[in-house]
Amino acid sequence: MRYLAIVLSAAAGVQAARQCSTTTGYTHRVLDARYDGPDVDKPGSDLATISVSLSSSTTPLYECVAQWPESWKGFHNVTEKLIWSDCIWTGAGTGADKSMAFAVDWNKKVVYLAHVFACSDRQGTEGLATGTLPLSDLDCDYTEDGSAYCTPKATSSGARPDLRISTILEPAAPDANTASCSDISEQYQSWTLEKWHRQFVLTPGTFEPKAGTDTGPSFTLKSLGVHGATFTCATTSASVGPFQGECKSDVAKAAATFTFDPKLNILTVKQKWDCGNSAALETVGVGYMQGTCDRGFNSDVFTCSSEPVLIGTEAL
Ligand SMILES: *[C@@H]1O[C@H](CO)[C@@H](O)[C@H](O)[C@H]1NC(C)=O
């Protein structure tokens, strides 16, 4: 059994890669896209849901889902940055990516996509590719109770439109030890978030963590915009949300802080790079964290974890 497990994980490692020395980029078919306004039957819920299903051919490979208060239109209301959200691999076919994330500007009706993968032709390196898709032709319907849902307009023959998102490789990130602030500001900034961990007690029959039991999140951030900068983040505030936290960096010039709203599952990351002469470069990323929480066996302790998640920054 042990042997089998090793073989399988090695095989998965080989599959989760893409050619990086390509100039044509990568194409993702959008099999389905749907926007749902708040469910007016649910009192107190003002959340809009957007979902996009991606594939390389006809089988859905990734399900991308995000939720935010409808009035935000895809942008965090405090930082005014795009909200990135994880695309979950369905397990059908072979995923070529380490993580895939999307964001939607609902004012402009544009979908943004970013994905990170191992380079099959440059062992030990990772590629980040980004792209956009305008959803200009949408059909929106309103249910009797007034909530909206929108889908891409069908073709004149009634077929699904052929929607594709093309992404292209971002230039290789400058090295953390030698990068200047101008190098960094020219590079698209994003991170892979790993080792998401949060714990709380949920008394049976209740829906809110028991007072004083929520640890808040801890995680690591690996910069994709500055090669070799990694942050270790932990909650420093009291055990009620929204949580505040600090990230320790392995690069002296870099620091980061975060806030996490457990009600909306919105994580905000602020990276600061010391540019000398008391100037600093600040980069803000926002992610919708749908880390799942599992109840321990015979226990009321919930533990939340997540696969690696890509957190992007402002529009590409
Ligand atoms: C942002 O939205 C949240 C949730 O709807 C709300 O509680 C908060 O007051 C808003 N903040 C600002 C600055 O608008």
Side-chain angles (χ1 to χ4, degrees), residues 96-315:
D97 300 283
K98 186 173 165 190
S99 44
M100 167 89 75
F102 85 123
V104 177
D105 176 341
W106 192 245
N107 278 318
K108 291 193 185 146
K109 309 280 191 290
V110 174
V111 176
Y112 299 94
L113 195 67
H115 54 124
V116 64
F117 40 86
C119 296
S120 58
D121 49 351
R122 280 185 230 147
Q123 245 205 334
T125 64
E126 279 182 352
L128 168 71
T130 57
T132 61
L133 173 73
L135 287 178
S136 35
D137 280 331
L138 286 173
D139 253 340
C140 291
D141 278 319
Y142 297 87
T143 58
E144 255 173 38
D145 53 21
S147 51
Y149 73 95
C150 306
T151 51
K153 220 183 210 105
T155 65
S156 52
S157 64
R160 263 185 198 174
D162 184 17
L163 297 175
R164 287 157 200 256
I165 305 185
S166 299
T167 55
I168 53 163
L169 199 67
E170 292 285 332
D175 194 87
N177 294 311
T178 51
S180 67
C181 278
S182 75
D183 294 339
I184 296 171
S185 62
E186 276 165 24
Q187 188 78 21
Y188 184 69
Q189 294 300 315
S190 59
W191 305 266
T192 334
L193 182 156
E194 292 180 18
K195 299 185 187 151
W196 179 260
H197 179 88
R198 180 183 159 213
Q199 242 173 13
F200 51 83
V201 170
L202 202 61
T203 310
T206 62
F207 299 97
E208 298 269 333
K210 189 174 167 189
T213 66
D214 200 329
T215 61
S218 61
F219 53 91
T220 61
L221 286 175
K222 197 172 121 196
S223 172
L224 293 165
V226 190
H227 182 71
T230 306
F231 301 86
T232 308
C233 306
T235 295
T236 51
S237 64
S239 60
V240 279
F243 297 100
Q244 315 287 329
E246 278 174 26
C247 306
K248 287 202 184 94
S249 159
D250 54 357
V251 179
K253 284 183 171 181
T257 55
F258 72 87
T259 62
F260 176 65
D261 179 338
K263 289 218 164 68
L264 294 173
N265 288 311
I266 296 283
L267 175 75
T268 308
V269 175
K270 233 176 236 178
Q271 175 187 288
K272 263 196 179 158
W273 205 275
D274 181 0
C275 302
N277 297 330
S278 73
L281 189 65
E282 194 177 271
T283 320
V284 177
V286 181
Y288 168 66
M289 285 301 305
Q290 41 196 337
T292 50
C293 304
D294 284 328
R295 193 167 71 86
F297 178 68
N298 260 351
S299 155
D300 53 6
V301 177
F302 279 69
T303 305
C304 316
S305 61
S306 165
E307 293 295 312
V309 175
L310 178 56
I311 309 267
T313 50
E314 62 254 72

